[in-house]
Amino acid sequence: MVDLTETFDVLVAGGGNAALCAAITARRAGATVLLAEHAPKAMRGGNSRHTRNVRALHHGPTGVLTDSYLEEEYWDDLKRVTAGKTNEALARMCIRASEHAPGFLESCGVVFQPSLSGTLSLSRTNAFFLGGGKALVNALYRTAEALGIVILYDTEVQHIEMKDGFATEAVVSHRGFPAKIRFKAFVASAGGFQANREWLRKYWGDAADNFQIRGTPYAQGRILKDLLGQGVQEVGDPTQFHAVANDARAPMEDGGLAMRLDCVPFSVVVNRDVERFYDEGEDVWPKRYAIWGRLIAQQPGQVAFAINDSQAQLDYLPPVFAPYRADSIAELAAQIGLDAVKLEKVVADYNAAVQPGTFSAQTLDDCRTEGLAPPKSHWARRIDTPPYYCHPLRPGITFTFLSVKVNERARVMMADGSPSANMFASGEIMSGNILGQGYLAGFGMAIGTVFGRIAGEEAAKLVRN
Amino acid sequence: MATESETVAEARRQMEICNACRYCEGYCAVFPAMTMRRAFTEGDLTHLANLCHGCKGCYHACQYAPPHPFGINIPVTFAELRNETYAQHAWPAPMGALFARNGTVVSLLAALGVALVLVLTVALQDPAVLWSAQRGAGAFFRVIPHWLMISLGVLTFGYALFAMAMGARSYWRATGSPAGAFAPAPTAEAAVDIVTMRNLGGGGHGCNDLDEGFSMRRRWLHQALFGGFMLCFAATCTGTIYHYVFGWKSPHAFFSLPVQFGTWGGVLMMIGAAGLAHVKIITDPVPVARKLAGGEFAMLALLFLIAATGLLLLAVRHTGAMGVMLAIHLGLVFAFFVVMPYSKMVHGVYRGLALLRNAKEKRGAAPAASAA
């Protein structure tokens, strides 16, 4: 049994990559560390369990990264996706430090692999974990155990007692029992609030009931709310989240990456009222997949339907759930409960607007519509070769943007502008400092690793002095 | 076509989820082979299941493993599907039923083999020969006549080879008989895969033999068992050449080739069989097909006993215990040959064919459509 009357040097709340990087770094620096993970052991690791790679700056080819990826390009990529909603100093510091993220993770037993199929476009910028995020999480926990970090599963940190920005003890629920944990420094790495439907309802009303949570159901935002309610400064738009187009039949929580659908550029997409609402072929899918979750969230009933035909079937990754399939558009409409006459008209109008072109699935081709609103700018092919297919879509939320404000040493900032005496943060709970909107594949893991290491280092430095 | 089994349907459900995820592509040959397909026929699933070496890397890395509701557990599902393959392609067909309670079958046959050889020895020879020390050239044949030993060996081993060849033929047809698989390049690649057990390397750092940590333990133990088995086979071959070509009769001197091959082969087999059984006992039980454990433990025990009795025979061959030990050893060996086509041993045949087919496919097919 763990002796909870002991005062630990560092308490880390959370159990994903950011928490583990902080805990391991603090322990290596000589601190005694307790890591409190809300999930049971089998479901440990937060959203890191569903990740696959980390975006890392590099000056030349490494074992798993090709070519080079330098600060200015990384920064440009970030500036583009966030539309400037970022903190340049923090972002550049994170980008520079990301160079050492793969090496640090390797020192913790994480194995990287060359990218093989499905994601070739990322092998230059992102280092892939062999086996994916759960394998990474397994390696980090093994390292943490070997270092003597005390790990408590099924343990939710619910409240931090603090006075003038100085945290003293944590109120936790440990395997269903109330307990208190005393510490000298606190690292908050407990994620965002995307799995907290009540909280989402505050901004989205009943629509929140139709959002699928792609990742861990344990991202309840309890610590985030607790800190913000006690004078910690907030950053990031509380109403916003990152979301992708998921299969409407996916589980409401924890469906992970395999629920996303890549069929949009090769389909026409209509809402419940059988109306198209956005240019399906605006850009290549890696640059557009992240906006479709929001687009669908804004449709009536938070649902949409991607319609295509037999010509498109090999152009996107195979889905987990078989699409609806019929020999006519009317029959397809009947299967999915849409107005058959309206759907036939949408497809007929679209077909009539398709211009001749040379189709190319992986590049911006010249297949487009003329005189259609909204247009389809690329990959517009007539939908006329049965059988016809439909993939139903819902928004799948990845993470929320609301965060606690931190400085470049990962120290939590109070609303009055002063740094907290002994609180630090890493991971999704603070990613809104850098990611004000949008997303770059593998950047969440970069933020988690970089700020986790800084938080662990600073917390250990504080308590060892 | 008969209706598909529940295992086939379950394997398809899991592969369809895996094919949309693909995080495991770096582990072994199964996942790159999976990405070459969009739909999975029963033949495809049989092929993938037999390509799987049961290393459990994919289970421990799986975001959809139990208790996740998707309950992805490829090592168990594929092990059960392999067992169905073994039953389905057994020759003659009714013998496929022996895979249902394989532990009992292997154990009973081993006991029967020993009993039969003991009874035959006593019936055909003077019973006293079992207990008296025999020395000099041809000592073994004074216990069991040479003609009987040879005919039992040729009959049982020949039967095993024939039955397994028929199984291989049936399997190859059922999984689609890819043309050109026997060309030099794929054949060489498959041979290297078999000899090095590359797919038990987990992408270079080992497999999840026991838990989520990586090790090469199972790979080395299997190499010991396989290498030891081949050394024992070499011992038999050299012994046969000595007998028929040079007219040198056993028992041979300790430093002769047959005895050296047999001794070190036996030691390796014992280490391999005992080690693999030990791994099976202490490993995380969730990614292990429990209903197959009986047959697997029985086969490991049989291999261990064959090696152990062989070494004991060497130790006691100049004493009065030689007769009984020889009868027990040969009884186990003959039982092993008879049960071989209806035991875990056929995994080598189907795994080899799956590796061959995979080596061929890698040279032909382009990967399926992909996006980030």
Side-chain angles (χ1 to χ4, degrees), chain A residues 18 31 33 75 139 179 202 224 245 249 254 296 317 353 366 378 383 423:
Chain A
V33 180
W75 166 243
K202 245 173 76 178
L224 177 63
R249 298 159 294 181
D254 216 25
I296 298 163
L317 279 170
D366 60 352
H378 301 281
I383 297 176
M423 289 191 290

Side-chain angles (χ1 to χ4, degrees), chain A residues 273-290:
Chain A
D273 301 333
V274 203
E275 286 159 0
R276 288 178 62 246
F277 51 88
Y278 199 83
D279 181 351
E280 300 90 346
E282 190 178 45
D283 204 341
V284 291
W285 191 236
K287 290 188 178 166
R288 279 294 167 269
Y289 80 97

